[in-house]
Amino acid sequence: MSHFQGISPDGMWLLAENRFHDSKSYYEEHKPQIKAQVLDPLRALAEDLAGVVTAIDPRIVTDPNRNGCISRVRRDNRYTRDKSLYRENMWVAFLRDKKAYPCAPGFFMDFSLKGSYYGLAFYYAAPRLMQTVRRMIDEKPAVWTKALKQAEEAGFASTGDRYARPKRVGLPPLLDAVYNAKTVAMERFDPDPAFFGSAALVDALKEAFTALAPLYRLLIAAVERDIELAGDSATAS
């Protein structure tokens, strides 16, 4: 049984108002409502999705209090041009421990009144890691094609930034979208706030993450190979 019952438009409007005022006093005054209408439901959503993501990879962190699994209302604006204090979008994200795996793919949903983005993407993809991904595609193009086709049939499209000069030309579109990208991001967008407004979201995300699971496993295998290669290189030096 789902514990998540949706995040109401009132809750999202409250976040938008909080961002508009951008005031600690306004946030403190409305903190109990934000917790009840947004943060508590987001925790419930993370708990409801924990089973499906750990079935895909038992090393994925699902604790809402760790690893950035659910977003905070207060922004970390130390390294951004936008110095506003609070956010109007929120997210839930599932990936391995970022300290042990600084380059890690993860399942996510990011939502606001403008709609929802959800799917599979890297938290951070170093150029060396993407080189490993390309090498693995060269080794088993059919396996990658099958995984990408399953993602495409579930409604996901590649949104990763591409290199100005392709690393390889003449690839089929599905492989080209990943091979010549600076990172891997497979996303789907739903513009309707009602998408995250009911318990039906849980099953929708379970289905989405399951469809993306074969691609996730290929990407995490690339991460593990990259870590192994880095270790071998360090030992040799």
Side-chain angles (χ1 to χ4, degrees):
M1 178 180 177
S2 173
H3 297 90
F4 177 80
Q5 298 301 314
I7 297 176
S8 71
D10 287 345
M12 298 310 298
W13 275 113
L14 183 56
L15 279 183
E17 285 286 328
N18 186 59
R19 169 66 180 262
F20 175 77
H21 287 278
D22 205 38
S23 158
K24 184 177 181 181
S25 62
Y26 184 91
Y27 171 69
E28 290 296 333
E29 180 183 351
H30 295 85
K31 189 174 180 178
Q33 296 99 304
I34 292 174
K35 180 179 183 297
Q37 296 182 44
V38 179
L39 292 176
D40 287 346
L42 200 54
R43 286 174 173 274
L45 178 62
E47 291 171 1
D48 286 345
L49 294 172
V52 71
V53 295
T54 53
I56 295 168
D57 180 358
R59 296 185 183 180
I60 286 179
V61 178
T62 60
D63 183 345
N65 299 312
R66 293 181 52 215
N67 213 45
C69 182
I70 65 171
S71 54
R72 297 179 178 179
V73 179
R74 178 67 163 86
R75 297 179 65 246
D76 181 357
N77 57 13
R78 293 174 295 173
Y79 311 110
T80 63
R81 293 182 179 180
D82 180 359
K83 296 302 180 183
S84 56
L85 299 175
Y86 302 100
R87 66 177 69 255
E88 60 183 330
N89 69 303
M90 298 291 282
W91 71 74
V92 57
F94 300 100
L95 59 159
R96 289 185 178 182
D97 184 350
K98 288 185 285 190
K99 292 182 179 179
Y101 297 88
C103 297
F107 300 99
F108 74 94
M109 175 183 161
D110 184 303
F111 63 98
S112 70
L113 286 172
K114 298 175 183 177
S116 307
Y117 291 92
Y118 60 106
L120 171 66
F122 273 111
Y123 173 72
Y124 167 67
R128 187 188 65 196
L129 171 59
M130 289 306 297
Q131 185 176 357
T132 300
V133 169
R134 290 190 293 273
R135 189 178 299 117
M136 291 177 69
I137 292 175
D138 288 334
E139 292 170 359
K140 295 184 177 181
V143 174
W144 284 81
T145 298
K146 183 178 180 180
L148 289 164
K149 186 173 179 58
Q150 181 166 314
E152 181 186 55
E153 289 175 347
F156 292 91
S158 175
T159 59
D161 291 338
R162 293 175 61 85
Y163 286 104
R165 292 186 177 182
K167 298 293 183 179
R168 180 179 166 187
V169 297
L171 288 167
L174 283 175
L175 292 181
D176 176 80
V178 173
Y179 200 99
N180 291 309
K182 296 179 181 179
T183 186
V184 178
M186 299 295 294
E187 296 183 354
R188 185 172 174 177
F189 176 68
D190 193 310
D192 188 354
F195 179 67
F196 53 78
S198 77
L201 177 64
V202 175
D203 287 338
L205 292 181
K206 284 181 178 180
E207 183 177 338
F209 296 164
T210 299
L212 292 166
L215 181 58
Y216 171 86
R217 293 188 178 104
L218 290 172
L219 294 175
I220 202 65
V223 169
E224 291 173 338
R225 180 186 290 192
D226 185 62
I227 292 172
E228 181 180 351
L229 290 171
D232 292 343
S233 178
T235 301
S237 62

